[in-house]
Each structure stands twice: as structure tokens, then as C-alpha cells.
Amino acid sequence: MNVIDIVSELVAPKPFNNFHYPCHPLTLLPPSLALSANAKTIGRTTSTYSFPMATTSYLGTGRYKLLTLSPSSSNLRSCCCRPSPSKPLAPARPGSRVCNLGSVFERHKSVIFLPQNAASMHRRVITAVARAEPDRIDEGNAKQEVGKGHTLSAKEDSGLELKEKTSQLKTRIVFGLGIGITAGGIVFAGGRVFTVALAAVVFVGAREYFELVRSHGITEGMTPPPRYVSRVCSVICAVMPILTLYLGQIDVSVTFAAFVVAMALLLQRGIPRFAQLSSAMFGLFYCGYLPCFWVKLRCGLSAPALSTTIGATWPILLGGPAHWTVGLVATLISISSIIAADSFAFLGGKTFGRTPLTSISPKKTWEGTFAGLGGCVATSVILSKNFCWPTSLLSAIAFGFLNFLGSIFGDLTESMIKRDAGVKDSGSLIPGHGGILDRVDSYVFTGALAYSFVKIFLPLYGV
């Protein structure tokens, strides 16, 4: 194998002046055609690689013109598909560029021109020639050229990887800010707006959950529920927050929904499986019942937060002081604490993370966990001072600690489901974040803990 064969295999055939040759472009010219090449590619910087070769002929695939000469270029092989030798072949437009690869073969030397942005082509040409003709190339120079090619490729790959990570981070920040602002407005609105928005999120999250249950990784060890059962469960989960708003409680509705789903599974065609029942029941609990506590927390605790200083100056058009209820203050503190926990855990893990937390999520570390706990508790204490609720420092610390527990437990639960399913993200709805479950997994259990704290712990101890 010589240099012409190697370069011919690296360059794909392209159409040329209304001719299309099925062969490689370096084997197309007939003996009666020679090429008067211009070694300089107009408007393009080239890199040159030289290899020893005992031949005297010229070939260029940059900007050139073809002339009819005597058939003395014996090194240019003929092809059965070439055009008639009596007709000179010229580009359709003078100076048009047909191929990015240019080469000139002189006596005892072959010069190959490649564009600088083709780093992978550099490496392939150099490596292939060095392996194919080791007897014609000095071994030391060949290794040096191959090393340069690999170094250039590694630098280019690292640069592309850095650009990709930067782009992903920008996308994540932009969409994260958009979601945060939108969610803040919905929380402030409360009532039907908050409930309907939560129902929409619950429906999409339930769909993602049942898709994970049906994924290949989980179905290898269990039988998923039928699709119609999954869809019915998703609708039931979406209706639960609305029923909670109007009925004030969800226990009877959840019990009735579980009974209907169980009967549907038992009466299906084929043999019912316990795995189908357990995955469907957990879906109703995880995606439907637990999110309803956010409705109870935001809309159910309607007592005004009289000690909140910001409520005294709140505009009348936006609800006045009565708009600042215990439920609104508790919801804002809880959501802000979760955001702080996730942010501090991420930064702490990136900076100080050394000890893995659990095999469920290998990227989580104990250092990041403690950083998240500190950020969550600190945020809860600071906001409690600004809102003057809860009035006790101990209560604020306990509230922040419960929010952190719900956040980390919900995150690990969703990570376990994704790990069994064999996927990285639960979906692709939110660019840079994945699916809805990837974004709200920390909030699933937190609502129930926060509501229980405000409804039971605070009145019990009078703080």
C-alpha cells in the first residue's frame, strides 16, 4: 500500500464538472490527462506533510485547472469509468474548489496539503502512512508526526468538550431562572392558579414515572402494568390536587382510586402480576398523593401571618396584608430552603467532594450533603427572621432540617428509579434539566413534612 492508496481511502468520491466517478478521486485521471496544480489554496491556510517517494508527477485537488498533456504520468492509474481521453476535463467555474485535500508529488517527495481545521484527517493520514510504509519513513520522524497528530486531536477534543459543557451550563441557568420566576409567581397567586399548575406538573410527572416503569431496565425483572392502567393512573394523579383544594382532604379519594386501579389490574386479560399492582399503587402514592400536601400547605393554612412585616406594606391590589398567610410564608421558606440545599450540595460536592454518599447516586458525596444541610438550615433561619415566622430560632432550624431530609430523600428515591430503569434522565421536556421528575424530585416528600411540621409540631409546642 502506498500513499496514493491511503489518501484515496480517506477521501470520499465527489461529483466533478457534471461527472460522478464511483472510484476514489485519486484514481480517476486517465494517462492522457495531467494536472497543472497551484500549490497555494486561495483564501485558505494549509498544512504540509512530506513523505519520500520516487516519482515525478503532479496532482492537486485545491483550486486548479486541467490541461491535456502527453500520457507520461504513469503513476496515475487509469479507471474503467474515466471519460474519453480526447476531451480535456476542466472545472465548471474557474477557480472553483472541488475538494479540500490537495497533494503535489515531486521527485523523491510527496507533499500533501490539508486544511488546518481537519485535525482528525491530519491524524488519520499521518498514522496510516506511518503504518503502511515504515521502510520509507524515518521511524523517529514518523513517531513524532503521529504524536503531534494525537496531541492536536486531544487539544481539539478538550476544547470542544469545554464549549459543550459551557453551552449546557448556560442553557441550564437560563431555563432554571425561567422556571424559578414562573414558579414564584404561581406560588404568590395561590388558590386555583397554584392548584391547576400543580395538577399539570403532576400529570406530566406521572407519565414519566410510568414510562420509567415500562423501560427495558425495569421490565427485565418485573411485569409493568398495562398502558391503559398507566394512563388512568396519570389522570387520577392529576385530579387529586384539585379534589384536595375543594374537599380539603384526599384520603377517601385516594382509597377509592386505589380500589379502582386494583380491580382494573385483576380483571385484565392474562395473568395479573403483583409487580403490576405494586408499581401502580406506588405511582398513585408517589406522583399523586404526596404532591397534594403542597396544596394543603399553600392553600389550606389560610391564617394570616400577622407578625410578618412585609405583609403590612403589601399593595392592596395584590391582596393586601391578608394575602400573606401562614401557608404562603411556609411555602416560600420551604421552596427556598430546597433550592439552597440543592445549590450548596452541588457546589460543596464539586469543591470538597471526596467520600461517596451512596451507590444509588455515585456523584453525591458526604461533603456535598453537609454543605447542602448547612445551606438549607441557614436559608430557613434567615427567611424566618425576615418573615418573623416561625418566631423561635429552634423552630426555624427544625423546619430547615426537615426540608433538607425531604429534599435528599426525594432525590435519592428518583435516582433509584432511574438507576433501575437504566436511564440518566426521566425525560427531555426541560432543556438542560431533563424531565419534570428530575426537576421536582426534591419537592415530592418535602410538602408532606412541611405541612406536618406546621400543622402538628408548631401548635403542639406552642412555637
Side-chain angles (χ1 to χ4, degrees):
M1 180 180 291
N2 53 32
V3 176
I4 295 179
D5 295 330
I6 296 167
V7 178
S8 299
E9 293 176 0
L10 295 174
V11 183
K14 296 183 178 180
F16 181 77
N17 192 32
N18 299 327
F19 292 98
H20 188 277
Y21 303 102
C23 314
H24 294 296
L26 297 182
T27 65
L28 300 179
L29 299 180
S32 60
L33 294 180
L35 182 64
S36 175
N38 184 5
K40 295 182 179 179
T41 302
I42 300 176
R44 183 178 294 273
T45 305
T46 60
S47 301
T48 306
Y49 297 94
S50 300
F51 306 103
M53 182 176 291
T55 180
T56 305
S57 57
Y58 298 92
L59 174 63
T61 55
R63 299 178 180 271
Y64 55 82
K65 59 182 179 179
L66 295 173
L67 301 176
T68 304
L69 300 177
S70 59
S72 60
S73 303
S74 58
N75 289 309
L76 297 174
R77 298 173 296 173
S78 60
C79 178
C80 60
C81 60
R82 67 176 179 265
S84 173
S86 60
K87 296 181 181 181
L89 185 62
R93 291 180 297 176
S96 61
R97 182 169 59 88
V98 179
C99 181
N100 288 331
L101 177 64
S103 60
V104 176
F105 298 94
E106 297 179 355
R107 185 174 184 80
H108 302 297
K109 184 175 69 172
S110 170
V111 183
I112 300 177
F113 298 95
L114 293 172
Q116 283 186 343
N117 58 353
S120 60
M121 182 69 75
H122 283 212
R123 187 177 72 257
R124 292 170 60 189
V125 171
I126 296 171
T127 307
V129 172
R131 292 176 179 175
E133 300 186 1
D135 55 333
R136 300 185 182 184
I137 304 174
D138 181 72
E139 184 176 357
N141 292 336
K143 292 182 178 179
Q144 184 178 3
E145 294 296 335
V146 172
K148 289 181 179 180
H150 284 292
T151 303
L152 181 61
S153 176
K155 290 182 179 179
E156 186 184 52
D157 293 341
S158 61
L160 293 175
E161 184 178 358
L162 180 61
K163 290 182 179 179
E164 183 178 359
K165 289 183 177 180
T166 304
S167 176
Q168 291 178 353
L169 181 60
K170 290 181 179 179
T171 303
R172 186 179 180 89
I173 292 175
V174 169
F175 279 89
L177 290 176
I179 293 173
I181 295 174
T182 304
I186 292 173
V187 170
F188 270 102
R192 296 177 181 177
V193 176
F194 179 81
T195 305
V196 171
L198 181 63
V201 172
V202 165
F203 177 77
V204 178
R207 295 294 298 159
E208 290 181 355
Y209 165 79
F210 284 105
E211 287 299 323
L212 290 175
V213 171
R214 299 188 65 87
S215 63
H216 180 70
I218 293 182
T219 54
E220 287 183 350
M222 58 166 283
T223 303
R227 285 194 177 275
Y228 74 90
V229 174
S230 301
R231 293 167 183 169
V232 170
C233 288
S234 300
V235 174
I236 293 175
C237 291
V239 174
M240 284 183 184
I242 300 176
L243 294 178
T244 303
L245 177 66
Y246 288 101
L247 299 180
Q249 51 85 27
I250 197 63
D251 300 336
V252 177
S253 302
V254 170
T255 305
F256 178 76
F259 174 76
V260 171
V261 172
M263 291 301 296
L265 289 172
L266 293 175
L267 297 177
Q268 67 174 318
R269 294 181 180 179
I271 302 176
R273 300 290 183 181
F274 177 73
Q276 297 176 326
L277 181 63
S278 60
S279 60
M281 292 298 109
F282 182 77
L284 291 176
F285 172 77
Y286 182 72
C287 301
Y289 179 72
L290 290 177
C292 291
F293 282 95
W294 284 105
V295 177
K296 289 186 174 184
L297 180 67
R298 173 62 185 92
C299 305
L301 302 177
S302 57
L306 299 177
S307 58
T308 303
T309 56
I310 191 174
T313 59
W314 194 250
I316 299 297
L317 294 176
L318 298 179
H323 185 74
W324 285 86
T325 61
V326 174
L328 175 59
V329 174
T331 303
L332 289 177
I333 294 178
S334 182
I335 293 178
S336 301
S337 300
I338 295 172
I339 295 175
D342 291 342
S343 301
F344 277 86
F346 175 78
L347 296 176
K350 284 289 185 180
T351 307
F352 307 105
R354 295 293 183 273
T355 310
L357 176 64
T358 175
S359 59
I360 296 176
S361 184
K363 291 185 178 180
K364 289 182 174 57
T365 61
W366 280 105
E367 292 81 2
T369 302
F370 285 119
L373 175 60
C376 185
V377 173
T379 302
S380 178
V381 172
I382 293 173
L383 292 180
S384 67
K385 294 297 182 182
N386 293 332
F387 292 141
C388 298
W389 184 96
T391 56
S392 170
L393 177 62
L394 180 62
S395 299
I397 294 175
F399 193 48
F401 185 76
L402 283 178
N403 286 324
F404 176 76
L405 285 182
S407 171
I408 191 67
F409 186 68
D411 196 348
L412 292 177
T413 301
E414 203 243 350
S415 297
M416 178 183 64
I417 298 174
K418 292 189 298 183
R419 189 176 183 85
D420 286 349
V423 297
K424 180 181 179 182
D425 298 322
S426 63
S428 57
L429 181 64
I430 309 175
H433 293 267
I436 286 291
L437 287 180
D438 296 316
R439 185 64 272 171
V440 303
D441 53 358
S442 300
Y443 300 84
V444 175
F445 293 95
T446 313
L449 294 177
Y451 178 79
S452 302
F453 175 83
V454 177
K455 192 70 174 179
I456 300 174
F457 180 81
L458 290 183
L460 182 63
Y461 290 94
V463 287

